[in-house]
Amino acid sequence: MNSFLYGVALQWKLDIRSKSLLVTCYIVPLIFFLLMGGIFTSVMPEMGSTLIQSMIVMSVSMGAFIGLPPSLIETYGSDIKKVYKANGVPVCSGLVTMFLSAFVHLMITCVVIMLLAPVLFEAALPTQLPLFFPALAIYITSSLGIGSVLGLTVKNQAKLTMIAQLVFLPSIMLSGIMFPAGLLPDFLETAGRIFPASRGYRLLLDHGFCLENLWYLIVVFITAVIVCGIVLKKQKAK
C-alpha cells in the first residue's frame, strides 16, 4: 500500500512538471474561465447562476479528453510498460496512478473556479455543496474513464489528437454550457446526450443530483473499466 501511495504521489509530481498536463488541466481552462466568464455574465446576466457548472464541465472535459490520453500513450505505447513487467509491477499501475493524479489536478482546478467565480463575476455558488462535490467526483471519474480508453486504445499520437478533439468539441458545444441545449435542432440535442458532459452539467446543477443524471455516468465509467481491463490484459499477454 505504501508503494502504491508513493507511486501516486510521484506521478502527481511528474504531472506538475508535464507541460501538456499543465496546459490542459490548468492554463487553458483557467484562461477560458477568466475570458468567457466575463463575456457570458455580460451578455447573459442570468448565466451567473450556472457559470461555475459551465466552466467546470469545460475544464474537466479538456483535462480528461485532451490532457490524460497523451500521458497514457507515452507509457503504454512505448517500452515503459516493459519496465513494469521486469520489476513485477502490475501493468495497470501506470493507468491507476495517472488516473488518480489527473483526478486531483482537475479537482484543484474546479475548486479554484468555484472560489474565483463569485468574486470576479458575482456567480452564484451551488446551493447544495454537500451533494455538489460527490456529483463533481462522479463526473470527473466518468470523464477520465473515457480519456483512459482513448489513451489505451489509440496507438498513434496524431490519431489520438484528432479523436480526442472529436470527443471534446461536441461535448462542449452540445452539452448546454455555452447556450441552452433546447436551442439546438432535435437531432443535435439528442446527440449531445451521448457525451458525459451533458449529463455531468445537469448533475452539477442545483437539485440535479438524481438517478436520472447519475445512471448514465456510472454506466460510462463501468464500461470504461471493462474496456481498459481487456486492453491491459492483452498487453500483459504480449
mmCIF file of all heavy atoms in Angstrom, residues 74-127:
data_model
loop_
_atom_site.group_PDB
_atom_site.id
_atom_site.type_symbol
_atom_site.label_atom_id
_atom_site.label_comp_id
_atom_site.label_asym_id
_atom_site.label_seq_id
_atom_site.Cartn_x
_atom_site.Cartn_y
_atom_site.Cartn_z
ATOM 1 N N GLU A 74 2.147 7.620 -23.950
ATOM 2 C CA GLU A 74 3.594 7.677 -23.741
ATOM 3 C C GLU A 74 4.085 6.472 -22.947
ATOM 4 O O GLU A 74 5.193 5.992 -23.143
ATOM 5 C CB GLU A 74 3.968 8.967 -23.010
ATOM 6 C CG GLU A 74 3.905 10.213 -23.875
ATOM 7 C CD GLU A 74 4.216 11.468 -23.087
ATOM 8 O OE1 GLU A 74 4.577 11.333 -21.885
ATOM 9 O OE2 GLU A 74 4.092 12.568 -23.642
ATOM 10 N N THR A 75 3.231 5.997 -22.032
ATOM 11 C CA THR A 75 3.613 4.865 -21.191
ATOM 12 C C THR A 75 3.319 3.530 -21.859
ATOM 13 O O THR A 75 4.194 2.672 -21.993
ATOM 14 C CB THR A 75 2.879 4.933 -19.837
ATOM 15 O OG1 THR A 75 3.276 6.127 -19.160
ATOM 16 C CG2 THR A 75 3.222 3.726 -18.977
ATOM 17 N N TYR A 76 2.069 3.357 -22.292
ATOM 18 C CA TYR A 76 1.648 2.058 -22.816
ATOM 19 C C TYR A 76 1.930 1.892 -24.304
ATOM 20 O O TYR A 76 1.774 0.798 -24.834
ATOM 21 C CB TYR A 76 0.169 1.841 -22.525
ATOM 22 C CG TYR A 76 -0.095 1.636 -21.047
ATOM 23 C CD1 TYR A 76 -0.483 2.692 -20.241
ATOM 24 C CD2 TYR A 76 0.080 0.389 -20.460
ATOM 25 C CE1 TYR A 76 -0.716 2.516 -18.884
ATOM 26 C CE2 TYR A 76 -0.143 0.199 -19.105
ATOM 27 C CZ TYR A 76 -0.543 1.267 -18.324
ATOM 28 O OH TYR A 76 -0.752 1.085 -16.973
ATOM 29 N N GLY A 77 2.343 2.960 -24.951
ATOM 30 C CA GLY A 77 2.708 2.848 -26.357
ATOM 31 C C GLY A 77 4.207 2.813 -26.549
ATOM 32 O O GLY A 77 4.700 2.915 -27.667
ATOM 33 N N SER A 78 4.939 2.689 -25.436
ATOM 34 C CA SER A 78 6.407 2.672 -25.504
ATOM 35 C C SER A 78 6.944 1.491 -24.701
ATOM 36 O O SER A 78 6.193 0.618 -24.265
ATOM 37 C CB SER A 78 6.966 3.991 -24.947
ATOM 38 O OG SER A 78 6.696 4.095 -23.560
ATOM 39 N N ASP A 79 8.252 1.489 -24.482
ATOM 40 C CA ASP A 79 8.893 0.396 -23.750
ATOM 41 C C ASP A 79 8.770 0.538 -22.239
ATOM 42 O O ASP A 79 9.269 -0.315 -21.492
ATOM 43 C CB ASP A 79 10.383 0.326 -24.116
ATOM 44 C CG ASP A 79 10.586 -0.118 -25.565
ATOM 45 O OD1 ASP A 79 9.688 -0.812 -26.086
ATOM 46 O OD2 ASP A 79 11.630 0.230 -26.144
ATOM 47 N N ILE A 80 8.113 1.619 -21.776
ATOM 48 C CA ILE A 80 7.989 1.820 -20.335
ATOM 49 C C ILE A 80 7.207 0.680 -19.690
ATOM 50 O O ILE A 80 7.509 0.251 -18.572
ATOM 51 C CB ILE A 80 7.304 3.172 -20.031
ATOM 52 C CG1 ILE A 80 8.178 4.317 -20.540
ATOM 53 C CG2 ILE A 80 7.049 3.329 -18.531
ATOM 54 C CD1 ILE A 80 7.599 5.685 -20.329
ATOM 55 N N LYS A 81 6.216 0.156 -20.422
ATOM 56 C CA LYS A 81 5.421 -0.941 -19.858
ATOM 57 C C LYS A 81 6.276 -2.185 -19.622
ATOM 58 O O LYS A 81 5.973 -2.991 -18.730
ATOM 59 C CB LYS A 81 4.249 -1.275 -20.773
ATOM 60 C CG LYS A 81 4.626 -1.780 -22.154
ATOM 61 C CD LYS A 81 3.408 -2.028 -23.002
ATOM 62 C CE LYS A 81 3.801 -2.516 -24.398
ATOM 63 N NZ LYS A 81 2.619 -2.729 -25.259
ATOM 64 N N LYS A 82 7.363 -2.316 -20.404
ATOM 65 C CA LYS A 82 8.259 -3.459 -20.192
ATOM 66 C C LYS A 82 8.985 -3.342 -18.855
ATOM 67 O O LYS A 82 9.348 -4.354 -18.245
ATOM 68 C CB LYS A 82 9.264 -3.552 -21.335
ATOM 69 C CG LYS A 82 8.632 -3.859 -22.698
ATOM 70 C CD LYS A 82 9.689 -3.930 -23.781
ATOM 71 C CE LYS A 82 9.051 -4.215 -25.149
ATOM 72 N NZ LYS A 82 10.064 -4.265 -26.228
ATOM 73 N N VAL A 83 9.209 -2.109 -18.429
ATOM 74 C CA VAL A 83 9.850 -1.878 -17.132
ATOM 75 C C VAL A 83 8.949 -2.386 -16.011
ATOM 76 O O VAL A 83 9.419 -2.953 -15.033
ATOM 77 C CB VAL A 83 10.164 -0.375 -16.942
ATOM 78 C CG1 VAL A 83 10.764 -0.121 -15.560
ATOM 79 C CG2 VAL A 83 11.100 0.117 -18.042
ATOM 80 N N TYR A 84 7.626 -2.163 -16.184
ATOM 81 C CA TYR A 84 6.669 -2.681 -15.195
ATOM 82 C C TYR A 84 6.807 -4.199 -15.076
ATOM 83 O O TYR A 84 6.888 -4.749 -13.976
ATOM 84 C CB TYR A 84 5.235 -2.327 -15.601
ATOM 85 C CG TYR A 84 4.883 -0.860 -15.457
ATOM 86 C CD1 TYR A 84 4.056 -0.241 -16.388
ATOM 87 C CD2 TYR A 84 5.353 -0.109 -14.389
ATOM 88 C CE1 TYR A 84 3.713 1.104 -16.256
ATOM 89 C CE2 TYR A 84 5.010 1.228 -14.256
ATOM 90 C CZ TYR A 84 4.195 1.829 -15.193
ATOM 91 O OH TYR A 84 3.864 3.148 -15.057
ATOM 92 N N LYS A 85 6.828 -4.874 -16.222
ATOM 93 C CA LYS A 85 6.908 -6.332 -16.224
ATOM 94 C C LYS A 85 8.219 -6.812 -15.608
ATOM 95 O O LYS A 85 8.234 -7.751 -14.812
ATOM 96 C CB LYS A 85 6.778 -6.861 -17.659
ATOM 97 C CG LYS A 85 5.422 -6.632 -18.296
ATOM 98 C CD LYS A 85 5.404 -7.212 -19.709
ATOM 99 C CE LYS A 85 4.060 -6.977 -20.386
ATOM 100 N NZ LYS A 85 4.034 -7.534 -21.760
ATOM 101 N N ALA A 86 9.304 -6.159 -15.973
ATOM 102 C CA ALA A 86 10.617 -6.582 -15.492
ATOM 103 C C ALA A 86 10.739 -6.458 -13.974
ATOM 104 O O ALA A 86 11.454 -7.230 -13.331
ATOM 105 C CB ALA A 86 11.703 -5.761 -16.162
ATOM 106 N N ASN A 87 10.038 -5.501 -13.397
ATOM 107 C CA ASN A 87 10.124 -5.273 -11.951
ATOM 108 C C ASN A 87 8.934 -5.856 -11.190
ATOM 109 O O ASN A 87 8.774 -5.604 -9.992
ATOM 110 C CB ASN A 87 10.223 -3.774 -11.672
ATOM 111 C CG ASN A 87 11.550 -3.187 -12.115
ATOM 112 O OD1 ASN A 87 12.537 -3.246 -11.389
ATOM 113 N ND2 ASN A 87 11.570 -2.623 -13.310
ATOM 114 N N GLY A 88 8.113 -6.631 -11.883
ATOM 115 C CA GLY A 88 6.987 -7.281 -11.224
ATOM 116 C C GLY A 88 5.875 -6.343 -10.809
ATOM 117 O O GLY A 88 5.084 -6.654 -9.909
ATOM 118 N N VAL A 89 5.815 -5.187 -11.451
ATOM 119 C CA VAL A 89 4.764 -4.210 -11.142
ATOM 120 C C VAL A 89 3.548 -4.504 -12.011
ATOM 121 O O VAL A 89 3.695 -4.728 -13.221
ATOM 122 C CB VAL A 89 5.263 -2.771 -11.404
ATOM 123 C CG1 VAL A 89 4.163 -1.762 -11.116
ATOM 124 C CG2 VAL A 89 6.488 -2.486 -10.558
ATOM 125 N N PRO A 90 2.345 -4.540 -11.436
ATOM 126 C CA PRO A 90 1.145 -4.784 -12.243
ATOM 127 C C PRO A 90 1.043 -3.788 -13.387
ATOM 128 O O PRO A 90 1.313 -2.597 -13.212
ATOM 129 C CB PRO A 90 0.005 -4.583 -11.236
ATOM 130 C CG PRO A 90 0.614 -4.870 -9.906
ATOM 131 C CD PRO A 90 2.032 -4.391 -10.013
ATOM 132 N N VAL A 91 0.674 -4.280 -14.552
ATOM 133 C CA VAL A 91 0.628 -3.429 -15.739
ATOM 134 C C VAL A 91 -0.401 -2.315 -15.612
ATOM 135 O O VAL A 91 -0.310 -1.280 -16.275
ATOM 136 C CB VAL A 91 0.338 -4.293 -16.994
ATOM 137 C CG1 VAL A 91 -1.102 -4.776 -16.992
ATOM 138 C CG2 VAL A 91 0.639 -3.506 -18.272
ATOM 139 N N CYS A 92 -1.364 -2.496 -14.702
ATOM 140 C CA CYS A 92 -2.402 -1.480 -14.524
ATOM 141 C C CYS A 92 -1.948 -0.328 -13.632
ATOM 142 O O CYS A 92 -2.656 0.684 -13.513
ATOM 143 C CB CYS A 92 -3.669 -2.105 -13.943
ATOM 144 S SG CYS A 92 -3.459 -2.766 -12.277
ATOM 145 N N SER A 93 -0.795 -0.465 -13.004
ATOM 146 C CA SER A 93 -0.342 0.552 -12.040
ATOM 147 C C SER A 93 -0.205 1.925 -12.679
ATOM 148 O O SER A 93 -0.583 2.946 -12.091
ATOM 149 C CB SER A 93 0.989 0.138 -11.415
ATOM 150 O OG SER A 93 0.834 -0.998 -10.614
ATOM 151 N N GLY A 94 0.366 1.960 -13.889
ATOM 152 C CA GLY A 94 0.535 3.235 -14.568
ATOM 153 C C GLY A 94 -0.791 3.929 -14.806
ATOM 154 O O GLY A 94 -0.931 5.136 -14.566
ATOM 155 N N LEU A 95 -1.770 3.165 -15.271
ATOM 156 C CA LEU A 95 -3.098 3.731 -15.527
ATOM 157 C C LEU A 95 -3.716 4.267 -14.241
ATOM 158 O O LEU A 95 -4.241 5.380 -14.213
ATOM 159 C CB LEU A 95 -4.003 2.673 -16.155
ATOM 160 C CG LEU A 95 -5.491 3.049 -16.289
ATOM 161 C CD1 LEU A 95 -5.656 4.265 -17.180
ATOM 162 C CD2 LEU A 95 -6.296 1.870 -16.825
ATOM 163 N N VAL A 96 -3.665 3.473 -13.184
ATOM 164 C CA VAL A 96 -4.298 3.869 -11.924
ATOM 165 C C VAL A 96 -3.649 5.124 -11.355
ATOM 166 O O VAL A 96 -4.342 6.057 -10.929
ATOM 167 C CB VAL A 96 -4.231 2.718 -10.900
ATOM 168 C CG1 VAL A 96 -4.756 3.177 -9.540
ATOM 169 C CG2 VAL A 96 -5.033 1.519 -11.387
ATOM 170 N N THR A 97 -2.324 5.179 -11.350
ATOM 171 C CA THR A 97 -1.650 6.351 -10.787
ATOM 172 C C THR A 97 -1.908 7.602 -11.623
ATOM 173 O O THR A 97 -2.126 8.691 -11.072
ATOM 174 C CB THR A 97 -0.137 6.108 -10.674
ATOM 175 O OG1 THR A 97 0.395 5.718 -11.952
ATOM 176 C CG2 THR A 97 0.166 5.030 -9.667
ATOM 177 N N MET A 98 -1.907 7.466 -12.958
ATOM 178 C CA MET A 98 -2.196 8.617 -13.816
ATOM 179 C C MET A 98 -3.634 9.071 -13.655
ATOM 180 O O MET A 98 -3.934 10.264 -13.656
ATOM 181 C CB MET A 98 -1.914 8.268 -15.277
ATOM 182 C CG MET A 98 -0.452 8.089 -15.604
ATOM 183 S SD MET A 98 -0.219 7.689 -17.353
ATOM 184 C CE MET A 98 1.437 7.010 -17.304
ATOM 185 N N PHE A 99 -4.534 8.108 -13.515
ATOM 186 C CA PHE A 99 -5.957 8.407 -13.330
ATOM 187 C C PHE A 99 -6.149 9.216 -12.049
ATOM 188 O O PHE A 99 -6.808 10.268 -12.051
ATOM 189 C CB PHE A 99 -6.749 7.100 -13.264
ATOM 190 C CG PHE A 99 -8.234 7.270 -13.218
ATOM 191 C CD1 PHE A 99 -9.001 7.108 -14.355
ATOM 192 C CD2 PHE A 99 -8.881 7.586 -12.028
ATOM 193 C CE1 PHE A 99 -10.387 7.256 -14.313
ATOM 194 C CE2 PHE A 99 -10.254 7.735 -11.970
ATOM 195 C CZ PHE A 99 -11.005 7.566 -13.120
ATOM 196 N N LEU A 100 -5.583 8.733 -10.948
ATOM 197 C CA LEU A 100 -5.749 9.416 -9.660
ATOM 198 C C LEU A 100 -5.070 10.782 -9.660
ATOM 199 O O LEU A 100 -5.604 11.752 -9.110
ATOM 200 C CB LEU A 100 -5.187 8.544 -8.535
ATOM 201 C CG LEU A 100 -5.944 7.240 -8.263
ATOM 202 C CD1 LEU A 100 -5.233 6.425 -7.185
ATOM 203 C CD2 LEU A 100 -7.382 7.524 -7.828
ATOM 204 N N SER A 101 -3.902 10.859 -10.288
ATOM 205 C CA SER A 101 -3.201 12.139 -10.363
ATOM 206 C C SER A 101 -4.015 13.160 -11.153
ATOM 207 O O SER A 101 -4.169 14.316 -10.734
ATOM 208 C CB SER A 101 -1.837 11.949 -11.015
ATOM 209 O OG SER A 101 -1.176 13.182 -11.179
ATOM 210 N N ALA A 102 -4.560 12.749 -12.308
ATOM 211 C CA ALA A 102 -5.377 13.642 -13.119
ATOM 212 C C ALA A 102 -6.634 14.056 -12.359
ATOM 213 O O ALA A 102 -7.083 15.208 -12.455
ATOM 214 C CB ALA A 102 -5.753 12.960 -14.435
ATOM 215 N N PHE A 103 -7.202 13.127 -11.592
ATOM 216 C CA PHE A 103 -8.386 13.430 -10.785
ATOM 217 C C PHE A 103 -8.086 14.568 -9.812
ATOM 218 O O PHE A 103 -8.871 15.519 -9.678
ATOM 219 C CB PHE A 103 -8.831 12.185 -10.024
ATOM 220 C CG PHE A 103 -10.058 12.387 -9.168
ATOM 221 C CD1 PHE A 103 -11.319 12.099 -9.672
ATOM 222 C CD2 PHE A 103 -9.957 12.860 -7.873
ATOM 223 C CE1 PHE A 103 -12.448 12.280 -8.898
ATOM 224 C CE2 PHE A 103 -11.080 13.055 -7.088
ATOM 225 C CZ PHE A 103 -12.328 12.765 -7.605
ATOM 226 N N VAL A 104 -6.949 14.480 -9.127
ATOM 227 C CA VAL A 104 -6.569 15.513 -8.158
ATOM 228 C C VAL A 104 -6.354 16.852 -8.853
ATOM 229 O O VAL A 104 -6.828 17.900 -8.388
ATOM 230 C CB VAL A 104 -5.299 15.093 -7.389
ATOM 231 C CG1 VAL A 104 -4.816 16.232 -6.499
ATOM 232 C CG2 VAL A 104 -5.573 13.858 -6.541
ATOM 233 N N HIS A 105 -5.652 16.842 -9.988
ATOM 234 C CA HIS A 105 -5.398 18.090 -10.718
ATOM 235 C C HIS A 105 -6.706 18.751 -11.158
ATOM 236 O O HIS A 105 -6.871 19.971 -11.013
ATOM 237 C CB HIS A 105 -4.524 17.808 -11.934
ATOM 238 C CG HIS A 105 -3.090 17.548 -11.604
ATOM 239 N ND1 HIS A 105 -2.278 18.481 -11.011
ATOM 240 C CD2 HIS A 105 -2.306 16.448 -11.777
ATOM 241 C CE1 HIS A 105 -1.066 17.991 -10.833
ATOM 242 N NE2 HIS A 105 -1.059 16.747 -11.286
ATOM 243 N N LEU A 106 -7.618 17.962 -11.698
ATOM 244 C CA LEU A 106 -8.890 18.517 -12.154
ATOM 245 C C LEU A 106 -9.722 19.025 -10.983
ATOM 246 O O LEU A 106 -10.398 20.061 -11.090
ATOM 247 C CB LEU A 106 -9.665 17.461 -12.941
ATOM 248 C CG LEU A 106 -9.083 17.106 -14.308
ATOM 249 C CD1 LEU A 106 -9.875 15.982 -14.957
ATOM 250 C CD2 LEU A 106 -9.065 18.325 -15.223
ATOM 251 N N MET A 107 -9.684 18.327 -9.872
ATOM 252 C CA MET A 107 -10.431 18.777 -8.699
ATOM 253 C C MET A 107 -9.881 20.114 -8.201
ATOM 254 O O MET A 107 -10.655 21.000 -7.806
ATOM 255 C CB MET A 107 -10.350 17.715 -7.595
ATOM 256 C CG MET A 107 -11.223 18.011 -6.386
ATOM 257 S SD MET A 107 -13.010 18.057 -6.748
ATOM 258 C CE MET A 107 -13.370 16.287 -6.895
ATOM 259 N N ILE A 108 -8.559 20.276 -8.236
ATOM 260 C CA ILE A 108 -7.959 21.551 -7.825
ATOM 261 C C ILE A 108 -8.435 22.685 -8.728
ATOM 262 O O ILE A 108 -8.819 23.765 -8.256
ATOM 263 C CB ILE A 108 -6.420 21.447 -7.855
ATOM 264 C CG1 ILE A 108 -5.923 20.524 -6.738
ATOM 265 C CG2 ILE A 108 -5.780 22.827 -7.707
ATOM 266 C CD1 ILE A 108 -4.435 20.228 -6.802
ATOM 267 N N THR A 109 -8.420 22.440 -10.046
ATOM 268 C CA THR A 109 -8.877 23.461 -10.994
ATOM 269 C C THR A 109 -10.331 23.832 -10.736
ATOM 270 O O THR A 109 -10.703 25.018 -10.757
ATOM 271 C CB THR A 109 -8.724 22.954 -12.437
ATOM 272 O OG1 THR A 109 -7.362 22.641 -12.681
ATOM 273 C CG2 THR A 109 -9.178 24.005 -13.438
ATOM 274 N N CYS A 110 -11.168 22.839 -10.469
ATOM 275 C CA CYS A 110 -12.589 23.096 -10.220
ATOM 276 C C CYS A 110 -12.791 23.911 -8.948
ATOM 277 O O CYS A 110 -13.642 24.806 -8.903
ATOM 278 C CB CYS A 110 -13.343 21.773 -10.123
ATOM 279 S SG CYS A 110 -13.403 20.846 -11.667
ATOM 280 N N VAL A 111 -12.019 23.622 -7.917
ATOM 281 C CA VAL A 111 -12.119 24.373 -6.664
ATOM 282 C C VAL A 111 -11.678 25.822 -6.882
ATOM 283 O O VAL A 111 -12.304 26.758 -6.357
ATOM 284 C CB VAL A 111 -11.272 23.706 -5.558
ATOM 285 C CG1 VAL A 111 -11.193 24.605 -4.330
ATOM 286 C CG2 VAL A 111 -11.884 22.361 -5.168
ATOM 287 N N VAL A 112 -10.621 26.026 -7.673
ATOM 288 C CA VAL A 112 -10.170 27.385 -7.990
ATOM 289 C C VAL A 112 -11.276 28.167 -8.693
ATOM 290 O O VAL A 112 -11.544 29.335 -8.374
ATOM 291 C CB VAL A 112 -8.893 27.345 -8.856
ATOM 292 C CG1 VAL A 112 -8.549 28.742 -9.379
ATOM 293 C CG2 VAL A 112 -7.727 26.794 -8.048
ATOM 294 N N ILE A 113 -11.934 27.530 -9.647
ATOM 295 C CA ILE A 113 -13.046 28.177 -10.355
ATOM 296 C C ILE A 113 -14.172 28.527 -9.387
ATOM 297 O O ILE A 113 -14.741 29.629 -9.440
ATOM 298 C CB ILE A 113 -13.562 27.260 -11.484
ATOM 299 C CG1 ILE A 113 -12.523 27.182 -12.601
ATOM 300 C CG2 ILE A 113 -14.894 27.765 -12.038
ATOM 301 C CD1 ILE A 113 -12.849 26.174 -13.682
ATOM 302 N N MET A 114 -14.477 27.609 -8.484
ATOM 303 C CA MET A 114 -15.539 27.863 -7.510
ATOM 304 C C MET A 114 -15.202 29.037 -6.595
ATOM 305 O O MET A 114 -16.088 29.810 -6.210
ATOM 306 C CB MET A 114 -15.786 26.615 -6.663
ATOM 307 C CG MET A 114 -16.516 25.504 -7.366
ATOM 308 S SD MET A 114 -16.953 24.168 -6.234
ATOM 309 C CE MET A 114 -18.079 25.006 -5.116
ATOM 310 N N LEU A 115 -13.940 29.181 -6.256
ATOM 311 C CA LEU A 115 -13.535 30.266 -5.359
ATOM 312 C C LEU A 115 -13.483 31.619 -6.069
ATOM 313 O O LEU A 115 -13.818 32.657 -5.480
ATOM 314 C CB LEU A 115 -12.164 29.946 -4.749
ATOM 315 C CG LEU A 115 -12.101 28.749 -3.794
ATOM 316 C CD1 LEU A 115 -10.660 28.485 -3.362
ATOM 317 C CD2 LEU A 115 -12.991 28.966 -2.579
ATOM 318 N N LEU A 116 -13.052 31.615 -7.342
ATOM 319 C CA LEU A 116 -12.880 32.872 -8.066
ATOM 320 C C LEU A 116 -14.163 33.396 -8.699
ATOM 321 O O LEU A 116 -14.355 34.616 -8.791
ATOM 322 C CB LEU A 116 -11.826 32.699 -9.160
ATOM 323 C CG LEU A 116 -10.378 32.482 -8.704
ATOM 324 C CD1 LEU A 116 -9.462 32.340 -9.914
ATOM 325 C CD2 LEU A 116 -9.910 33.637 -7.826
ATOM 326 N N ALA A 117 -15.040 32.504 -9.156
ATOM 327 C CA ALA A 117 -16.237 32.929 -9.891
ATOM 328 C C ALA A 117 -17.126 33.903 -9.103
ATOM 329 O O ALA A 117 -17.559 34.921 -9.655
ATOM 330 C CB ALA A 117 -17.041 31.712 -10.341
ATOM 331 N N PRO A 118 -17.426 33.650 -7.833
ATOM 332 C CA PRO A 118 -18.255 34.616 -7.093
ATOM 333 C C PRO A 118 -17.571 35.963 -6.909
ATOM 334 O O PRO A 118 -18.229 37.008 -6.890
ATOM 335 C CB PRO A 118 -18.481 33.917 -5.738
ATOM 336 C CG PRO A 118 -18.241 32.481 -5.998
ATOM 337 C CD PRO A 118 -17.157 32.446 -7.036
ATOM 338 N N VAL A 119 -16.246 35.962 -6.784
ATOM 339 C CA VAL A 119 -15.505 37.206 -6.552
ATOM 340 C C VAL A 119 -15.384 38.015 -7.842
ATOM 341 O O VAL A 119 -15.605 39.231 -7.860
ATOM 342 C CB VAL A 119 -14.095 36.894 -5.995
ATOM 343 C CG1 VAL A 119 -13.292 38.179 -5.828
ATOM 344 C CG2 VAL A 119 -14.199 36.158 -4.670
ATOM 345 N N LEU A 120 -15.041 37.353 -8.943
ATOM 346 C CA LEU A 120 -14.789 38.052 -10.203
ATOM 347 C C LEU A 120 -16.055 38.369 -10.985
ATOM 348 O O LEU A 120 -16.155 39.433 -11.614
ATOM 349 C CB LEU A 120 -13.843 37.211 -11.078
ATOM 350 C CG LEU A 120 -12.444 36.943 -10.523
ATOM 351 C CD1 LEU A 120 -11.657 36.059 -11.478
ATOM 352 C CD2 LEU A 120 -11.701 38.238 -10.265
ATOM 353 N N PHE A 121 -17.017 37.451 -10.974
ATOM 354 C CA PHE A 121 -18.184 37.594 -11.846
ATOM 355 C C PHE A 121 -19.515 37.551 -11.092
ATOM 356 O O PHE A 121 -20.574 37.479 -11.721
ATOM 357 C CB PHE A 121 -18.168 36.485 -12.914
ATOM 358 C CG PHE A 121 -16.868 36.382 -13.651
ATOM 359 C CD1 PHE A 121 -16.082 35.238 -13.565
ATOM 360 C CD2 PHE A 121 -16.400 37.442 -14.418
ATOM 361 C CE1 PHE A 121 -14.869 35.139 -14.231
ATOM 362 C CE2 PHE A 121 -15.190 37.348 -15.094
ATOM 363 C CZ PHE A 121 -14.420 36.202 -15.001
ATOM 364 N N GLU A 122 -19.454 37.575 -9.778
ATOM 365 C CA GLU A 122 -20.664 37.525 -8.943
ATOM 366 C C GLU A 122 -21.513 36.300 -9.265
ATOM 367 O O GLU A 122 -22.751 36.352 -9.247
ATOM 368 C CB GLU A 122 -21.497 38.805 -9.103
ATOM 369 C CG GLU A 122 -20.756 40.057 -8.673
ATOM 370 C CD GLU A 122 -21.609 41.307 -8.791
ATOM 371 O OE1 GLU A 122 -22.748 41.209 -9.288
ATOM 372 O OE2 GLU A 122 -21.126 42.383 -8.400
ATOM 373 N N ALA A 123 -20.834 35.217 -9.585
ATOM 374 C CA ALA A 123 -21.546 33.968 -9.884
ATOM 375 C C ALA A 123 -22.074 33.351 -8.595
ATOM 376 O O ALA A 123 -21.479 33.516 -7.524
ATOM 377 C CB ALA A 123 -20.613 32.994 -10.588
ATOM 378 N N ALA A 124 -23.172 32.638 -8.727
ATOM 379 C CA ALA A 124 -23.789 32.006 -7.560
ATOM 380 C C ALA A 124 -23.135 30.665 -7.272
ATOM 381 O O ALA A 124 -22.921 29.856 -8.179
ATOM 382 C CB ALA A 124 -25.282 31.815 -7.806
ATOM 383 N N LEU A 125 -22.812 30.437 -6.010
ATOM 384 C CA LEU A 125 -22.296 29.137 -5.608
ATOM 385 C C LEU A 125 -23.418 28.105 -5.624
ATOM 386 O O LEU A 125 -24.593 28.459 -5.434
ATOM 387 C CB LEU A 125 -21.704 29.208 -4.199
ATOM 388 C CG LEU A 125 -20.325 29.864 -4.054
ATOM 389 C CD1 LEU A 125 -20.013 30.074 -2.582
ATOM 390 C CD2 LEU A 125 -19.249 29.016 -4.715
ATOM 391 N N PRO A 126 -23.106 26.841 -5.861
ATOM 392 C CA PRO A 126 -24.137 25.793 -5.774
ATOM 393 C C PRO A 126 -24.787 25.815 -4.393
ATOM 394 O O PRO A 126 -24.099 25.968 -3.379
ATOM 395 C CB PRO A 126 -23.356 24.496 -6.002
ATOM 396 C CG PRO A 126 -22.135 24.914 -6.755
ATOM 397 C CD PRO A 126 -21.788 26.285 -6.254
ATOM 398 N N THR A 127 -26.081 25.665 -4.361
ATOM 399 C CA THR A 127 -26.794 25.739 -3.080
ATOM 400 C C THR A 127 -26.673 24.453 -2.278
ATOM 401 O O THR A 127 -26.854 24.468 -1.064
ATOM 402 C CB THR A 127 -28.287 26.035 -3.317
ATOM 403 O OG1 THR A 127 -28.851 25.007 -4.155
ATOM 404 C CG2 THR A 127 -28.465 27.383 -3.993
#
